[in-house]
Amino acid sequence: MVVINGIAQNDAQAIAKQVGIDRIYAEVLPLDKSNEVKKLQA
């Protein structure tokens, strides 16, 4: 599972660890999120 969000890296890692998410893309701006999804889909 992957999470792409705009929160700080440390906060994102802490949350992801609690819920079992292994891939995190943090501090991503809203306009850049769709580009990150496209990269993952490739």
Side-chain angles (χ1 to χ4, degrees):
M1 185 176 289
V2 177
V3 168
I4 302 172
N5 62 47
I7 65 174
Q9 182 72 32
N10 289 341
D11 294 338
Q13 287 177 335
I15 293 167
K17 185 176 180 179
Q18 289 178 3
V19 297
I21 296 170
D22 56 355
R23 292 176 66 188
I24 306 156
Y25 296 87
E27 301 179 21
V28 179
L29 298 174
L31 294 175
D32 295 331
K33 289 179 183 179
S34 63
N35 291 332
E36 292 298 329
V37 171
K38 288 175 186 174
K39 288 181 196 176
L40 292 167
Q41 291 174 330

